[in-house]
Structure formats: structure tokens, C-alpha cells
Amino acid sequence: HHKTARNVKLSPLHHKLVEKGAYFKPVSGFEGADWYDEECSTTNPPTIEKLTWNRESWFDHWEDEHIACRDEVALIDMSFMSKFIMQGEEAGEVLNYLSTANVNKCENTISYTQWLNDEGKLEADLTVSKLDNGTYFVVATDTMKGHVLQWMRRHTRGRHAFVTDVTGAYAQINIQGPKSRELLQRLTSVDMSNDSAAFDKCRYEQ
């Protein structure tokens, strides 16, 4: 039954999303917020009264979120995404071999890339962040977790490169929209301008 494994994997933001009236659906074992009803709360959660092939009753809420993301800024909890750390002296070489893009560039660089097989067919669509010369952070879609993990393990055999699944260890919070930098700058003393926080740059803080 589809309800037997609900509320097992929760992101660190889950309780906040509940307070904001989130309607949750299962996403690869996690509770993923699908849409919000600002009139709902922890004690009054949103529900779907009746499914339809026409416009759903919650469409207006979804439309508001899309417009906010397109015109202003939105926070999206993507903690269900697959996350891996590859470490080792040959980690960069292995990842560069797997990737269509050059992912073994300078430190603190994130690359969007694809992984292909010997026939040139797509195996994965993901990002690779180079944290230092021996540490890389790989993020892939939740539905490709097992495949991406095994693809890396297959190509690290006999190499000084080691893969760790850290999906459950890290949250993923996406800040998206044209006012993203403006919002982030209000939250941190770090310079979030284009010059300081340029496109394709990343930073690992502990």
C-alpha cells in the first residue's frame, strides 16, 4: 500500500514546509512538497478532494509558485536529489573520463555534464563540483541514484578513486529566480555579486 512507507525520509526543512501548508507526495522515499496552500498549516494540512483530468483544484497555488520563481525568487527543497562524494588521487581523471565536459578544472568549480556509454548513448545527466584536487561532489536526479552509483563504482575499480553515497547526509536547497542574489545577499555577509560568486563557481564550507 502506498501509505506504508510515508514520512520515513524527511528533509531538515520538512517541519517548516508543513507550517507553510505544503502538500507532500513521495519522491524516491522522501516527502517532497508538491504545492502549497497558505491557508493550511500543521494542524490543518491541505488535501486533494477529487482528482480530475481537467485543471486541478490546486492549480492556482501551483501557478503562483511558478510566477514567483520566474519573476522574483523561490526556495525549493530538493533534498531528495542523489548526492555522492568521490575522493582519491585519480578521482578527477575518472570523472573526466566519464563526463562529456571538462570537470577536472580549477578548484571550487561546478560543471553541468552528461555521462555517455561507448555507443554515445546517455547514461546520466548531472553536475560535478570540484572541491579540491582530490574531492568531487556529484549530484544527480533522484531516480538515477542506483545507476549513477554503480556507473561510478564500475569505473573506479582498480583506481585510486572512492565513492561515498551522501544523499541522506546533506540537504539541498535551491534558490532560483531573477532575485536570487538579492535574497542571498540579505542573508549573508559574503559578497554574492557576479564578480565574487560567478557562474559555475562553488564553495564548500564546514
Side-chain angles (χ1 to χ4, degrees), residues 84-99 101-105 115 128-138 152 155-164:
F84 310 94
I85 290 178
M86 184 183 288
Q87 297 169 294
E89 295 176 359
E90 295 181 278
E93 184 178 332
V94 170
L95 287 169
N96 236 12
Y97 173 79
L98 294 177
S99 304
N102 177 16
V103 302
N104 193 19
K105 298 180 285 189
W115 289 354
V128 177
S129 299
K130 182 175 182 178
L131 307 182
D132 59 43
N133 282 329
T135 308
Y136 298 78
F137 194 68
V138 178
M152 285 190 287
H155 290 88
T156 53
R157 292 172 185 165
R159 308 294 295 274
H160 196 274
F162 311 95
V163 182
T164 305

Coordinates of all heavy atoms in Angstrom, one line a residue, residues 84-99 101-105 115 128-138 152 155-164:
F84 N 26.7 12.3 -4.1 CA 27.9 11.4 -3.9 C 29.2 12.3 -3.8 O 29.3 13.3 -4.3 CB 28.1 10.5 -5.1 CG 26.8 9.8 -5.5 CD1 26.0 10.3 -6.5 CD2 26.4 8.6 -4.9 CE1 24.8 9.6 -6.9 CE2 25.3 7.9 -5.2 CZ 24.4 8.5 -6.2
I85 N 30.1 11.7 -3.0 CA 31.4 12.3 -2.9 C 32.4 11.3 -3.5 O 32.4 10.1 -3.1 CB 31.8 12.7 -1.5 CG1 31.0 13.9 -1.0 CG2 33.3 13.0 -1.4 CD1 31.3 14.3 0.4
M86 N 33.2 11.7 -4.5 CA 34.3 10.9 -5.0 C 35.6 11.5 -4.6 O 35.9 12.7 -4.8 CB 34.2 10.7 -6.5 CG 35.3 9.7 -7.0 SD 35.4 9.5 -8.8 CE 33.9 8.6 -9.2
Q87 N 36.5 10.6 -3.9 CA 37.7 11.1 -3.5 C 38.9 10.2 -3.9 O 38.6 9.0 -4.2 CB 37.7 11.1 -1.9 CG 36.7 12.1 -1.3 CD 36.6 11.9 0.2 OE1 36.1 10.9 0.6 NE2 37.0 12.9 0.9
G88 N 40.1 10.8 -4.0 CA 41.2 9.9 -4.4 C 42.1 10.7 -5.4 O 41.7 11.6 -6.0
E89 N 43.3 10.1 -5.5 CA 44.3 10.7 -6.4 C 43.9 10.7 -7.8 O 44.3 11.6 -8.6 CB 45.7 10.0 -6.2 CG 46.3 10.2 -4.8 CD 47.6 9.4 -4.7 OE1 48.0 8.7 -5.7 OE2 48.2 9.5 -3.6
E90 N 43.1 9.7 -8.2 CA 42.6 9.6 -9.6 C 41.2 9.9 -9.8 O 40.6 9.7 -10.9 CB 42.9 8.1 -10.1 CG 44.3 7.7 -10.1 CD 44.5 6.3 -10.7 OE1 44.4 5.4 -9.9 OE2 44.8 6.2 -11.9
A91 N 40.5 10.5 -8.8 CA 39.1 10.9 -8.9 C 38.8 11.8 -10.0 O 37.9 11.6 -10.8 CB 38.6 11.5 -7.6
G92 N 39.6 12.9 -10.2 CA 39.4 13.8 -11.3 C 39.6 13.2 -12.6 O 38.8 13.5 -13.6
E93 N 40.5 12.3 -12.8 CA 40.8 11.6 -14.0 C 39.6 10.7 -14.4 O 39.2 10.7 -15.5 CB 42.1 10.8 -13.9 CG 42.5 10.1 -15.2 CD 43.8 9.4 -15.1 OE1 44.6 9.8 -14.2 OE2 44.0 8.4 -15.8
V94 N 39.1 10.0 -13.4 CA 38.0 9.1 -13.6 C 36.7 9.9 -14.0 O 36.1 9.6 -15.0 CB 37.7 8.3 -12.4 CG1 36.4 7.5 -12.5 CG2 38.8 7.3 -12.1
L95 N 36.4 10.9 -13.3 CA 35.3 11.7 -13.6 C 35.4 12.4 -15.0 O 34.4 12.6 -15.7 CB 35.0 12.8 -12.5 CG 34.5 12.2 -11.2 CD1 34.5 13.2 -10.1 CD2 33.0 11.6 -11.4
N96 N 36.6 12.9 -15.3 CA 36.7 13.5 -16.6 C 36.5 12.5 -17.7 O 36.0 12.8 -18.8 CB 38.1 14.1 -16.7 CG 38.1 15.6 -17.1 OD1 37.0 16.2 -17.0 ND2 39.2 16.1 -17.4
Y97 N 36.9 11.2 -17.5 CA 36.7 10.2 -18.5 C 35.2 9.9 -18.7 O 34.8 9.7 -19.8 CB 37.4 8.9 -18.0 CG 37.1 7.7 -18.9 CD1 37.8 7.5 -20.1 CD2 36.2 6.7 -18.5 CE1 37.5 6.4 -20.9 CE2 35.9 5.6 -19.3 CZ 36.5 5.5 -20.5 OH 36.3 4.4 -21.3
L98 N 34.5 9.9 -17.6 CA 33.0 9.6 -17.7 C 32.2 10.8 -18.3 O 31.2 10.6 -18.9 CB 32.5 9.4 -16.2 CG 33.0 8.1 -15.5 CD1 32.4 8.1 -14.1 CD2 32.7 6.9 -16.3
S99 N 32.7 12.0 -18.1 CA 31.9 13.2 -18.5 C 32.2 13.7 -19.9 O 33.3 13.6 -20.4 CB 32.2 14.3 -17.5 OG 32.0 13.9 -16.1
A101 N 31.9 16.9 -20.4 CA 32.5 18.2 -20.2 C 33.8 18.0 -19.4 O 34.0 17.0 -18.8 CB 31.6 19.1 -19.4
N102 N 34.6 19.0 -19.4 CA 35.8 19.0 -18.5 C 35.4 19.4 -17.1 O 35.2 20.5 -16.8 CB 36.9 20.0 -19.1 CG 38.1 20.1 -18.2 OD1 38.4 19.2 -17.4 ND2 38.9 21.1 -18.4
V103 N 35.4 18.4 -16.2 CA 35.0 18.6 -14.8 C 36.2 18.7 -13.9 O 36.1 19.0 -12.7 CB 34.1 17.5 -14.4 CG1 32.8 17.4 -15.2 CG2 34.8 16.1 -14.3
N104 N 37.4 18.4 -14.4 CA 38.6 18.5 -13.6 C 39.4 19.8 -13.9 O 40.5 19.8 -14.3 CB 39.5 17.3 -14.0 CG 40.6 17.1 -13.0 OD1 40.6 17.6 -11.9 ND2 41.6 16.3 -13.4
K105 N 38.6 20.9 -13.6 CA 39.2 22.2 -13.8 C 39.8 22.7 -12.5 O 40.2 21.9 -11.7 CB 38.1 23.1 -14.4 CG 37.6 22.7 -15.7 CD 36.5 23.6 -16.3 CE 35.2 23.4 -15.6 NZ 34.1 24.2 -16.2
W115 N 26.9 11.9 -18.9 CA 27.8 10.7 -19.0 C 27.2 9.8 -20.1 O 26.0 9.6 -20.1 CB 27.8 9.9 -17.7 CG 28.5 10.7 -16.6 CD1 29.3 11.8 -16.7 CD2 28.6 10.2 -15.2 NE1 29.8 12.1 -15.5 CE2 29.4 11.2 -14.5 CE3 28.1 9.2 -14.5 CZ2 29.7 11.1 -13.2 CZ3 28.4 9.1 -13.1 CH2 29.2 10.1 -12.5
V128 N 29.0 18.1 -11.5 CA 30.2 17.6 -10.8 C 30.8 18.9 -10.2 O 31.2 19.8 -11.0 CB 31.1 16.8 -11.7 CG1 32.4 16.5 -10.9 CG2 30.4 15.6 -12.2
S129 N 31.0 19.0 -8.9 CA 31.7 20.1 -8.3 C 33.1 19.7 -7.8 O 33.2 18.7 -7.1 CB 30.9 20.6 -7.1 OG 29.6 21.1 -7.5
K130 N 34.1 20.4 -8.3 CA 35.5 20.1 -7.8 C 35.7 20.9 -6.6 O 35.9 22.2 -6.6 CB 36.5 20.4 -8.9 CG 37.9 20.1 -8.5 CD 38.9 20.3 -9.6 CE 40.3 19.9 -9.2 NZ 41.3 20.0 -10.3
L131 N 35.8 20.3 -5.4 CA 36.0 21.0 -4.1 C 37.5 21.2 -3.9 O 37.9 22.2 -3.3 CB 35.4 20.2 -3.0 CG 33.9 19.8 -3.2 CD1 33.3 19.1 -2.0 CD2 33.1 21.1 -3.5
D132 N 38.3 20.2 -4.2 CA 39.8 20.3 -4.2 C 40.3 19.3 -5.2 O 39.6 18.6 -5.8 CB 40.4 20.2 -2.8 CG 40.1 18.9 -2.1 OD1 40.2 17.8 -2.8 OD2 39.7 18.9 -0.9
N133 N 41.6 19.1 -5.2 CA 42.3 18.3 -6.2 C 41.9 16.8 -6.0 O 42.1 16.0 -7.0 CB 43.8 18.4 -6.2 CG 44.2 19.7 -7.0 OD1 43.5 20.1 -7.9 ND2 45.3 20.3 -6.5
G134 N 41.4 16.4 -4.9 CA 41.1 15.0 -4.7 C 39.7 14.8 -4.2 O 39.3 13.6 -3.8
T135 N 38.8 15.8 -4.2 CA 37.5 15.7 -3.7 C 36.5 16.3 -4.7 O 36.6 17.5 -5.1 CB 37.3 16.3 -2.3 OG1 38.3 15.8 -1.5 CG2 36.0 16.0 -1.7
Y136 N 35.5 15.5 -5.1 CA 34.4 15.9 -6.0 C 33.1 15.6 -5.5 O 32.9 14.5 -4.9 CB 34.6 15.3 -7.4 CG 36.0 15.6 -8.0 CD1 37.1 15.0 -7.6 CD2 36.1 16.6 -9.0 CE1 38.4 15.3 -8.1 CE2 37.3 16.9 -9.6 CZ 38.4 16.3 -9.1 OH 39.6 16.6 -9.7
F137 N 32.1 16.5 -5.7 CA 30.7 16.3 -5.2 C 29.8 16.2 -6.5 O 29.8 17.0 -7.3 CB 30.3 17.6 -4.4 CG 29.0 17.4 -3.6 CD1 29.0 16.5 -2.6 CD2 27.9 18.1 -4.0 CE1 27.9 16.4 -1.8 CE2 26.7 17.9 -3.2 CZ 26.7 17.1 -2.1
V138 N 29.2 15.0 -6.6 CA 28.4 14.7 -7.7 C 26.9 14.7 -7.3 O 26.5 14.1 -6.3 CB 28.7 13.3 -8.3 CG1 27.9 12.9 -9.5 CG2 30.2 13.2 -8.7
M152 N 29.7 4.8 -11.4 CA 31.0 5.3 -10.8 C 31.8 4.1 -10.3 O 33.0 4.0 -10.5 CB 30.7 6.3 -9.7 CG 30.2 7.6 -10.3 SD 30.2 8.9 -9.0 CE 28.7 8.4 -8.1
H155 N 33.6 2.1 -12.9 CA 34.8 2.8 -13.5 C 35.9 3.2 -12.5 O 36.9 3.7 -12.9 CB 34.3 4.0 -14.3 CG 33.5 3.7 -15.5 ND1 32.2 3.5 -15.5 CD2 33.9 3.4 -16.8 CE1 31.7 3.1 -16.7 NE2 32.8 3.1 -17.5
T156 N 35.7 2.9 -11.2 CA 36.7 3.2 -10.3 C 37.4 1.9 -9.8 O 38.4 2.0 -9.0 CB 36.1 3.9 -9.0 OG1 35.0 3.1 -8.5 CG2 35.7 5.3 -9.4
R157 N 37.1 0.8 -10.3 CA 37.7 -0.5 -10.0 C 39.2 -0.4 -10.3 O 39.6 -0.1 -11.5 CB 37.1 -1.7 -10.7 CG 35.7 -1.9 -10.2 CD 35.0 -3.0 -11.0 NE 33.6 -3.2 -10.6 CZ 32.7 -3.8 -11.3 NH1 33.0 -4.3 -12.5 NH2 31.4 -3.9 -10.9
G158 N 40.1 -0.7 -9.4 CA 41.5 -0.7 -9.6 C 42.1 0.7 -9.7 O 43.3 0.9 -10.0
R159 N 41.3 1.7 -9.4 CA 41.8 3.1 -9.5 C 41.8 3.7 -8.1 O 41.1 3.3 -7.2 CB 40.9 4.0 -10.4 CG 40.6 3.5 -11.8 CD 41.9 3.4 -12.6 NE 42.4 4.8 -12.9 CZ 42.0 5.5 -13.9 NH1 41.1 5.1 -14.7 NH2 42.5 6.7 -14.1
H160 N 42.6 4.7 -7.8 CA 42.6 5.4 -6.5 C 41.5 6.4 -6.5 O 41.8 7.6 -6.6 CB 44.0 6.0 -6.3 CG 44.2 6.4 -4.8 ND1 43.8 7.6 -4.3 CD2 44.8 5.7 -3.8 CE1 44.1 7.6 -3.0 NE2 44.7 6.5 -2.7
A161 N 40.3 5.9 -6.5 CA 39.1 6.8 -6.5 C 38.0 6.0 -5.8 O 37.7 4.9 -6.1 CB 38.7 7.1 -7.9
F162 N 37.4 6.7 -4.8 CA 36.5 6.0 -3.9 C 35.2 6.8 -3.8 O 35.2 8.0 -3.6 CB 37.1 5.8 -2.5 CG 38.5 5.3 -2.6 CD1 39.6 6.1 -2.6 CD2 38.7 3.9 -2.7 CE1 40.9 5.5 -2.7 CE2 39.9 3.3 -2.8 CZ 41.1 4.2 -2.8
V163 N 34.0 6.1 -3.9 CA 32.7 6.8 -4.0 C 32.0 6.6 -2.7 O 31.9 5.4 -2.2 CB 31.9 6.3 -5.1 CG1 30.6 7.0 -5.2 CG2 32.7 6.4 -6.4
T164 N 31.4 7.6 -2.1 CA 30.5 7.5 -1.0 C 29.1 8.1 -1.3 O 29.1 9.3 -1.8 CB 31.1 8.3 0.2 OG1 32.5 7.8 0.5 CG2 30.3 8.1 1.5

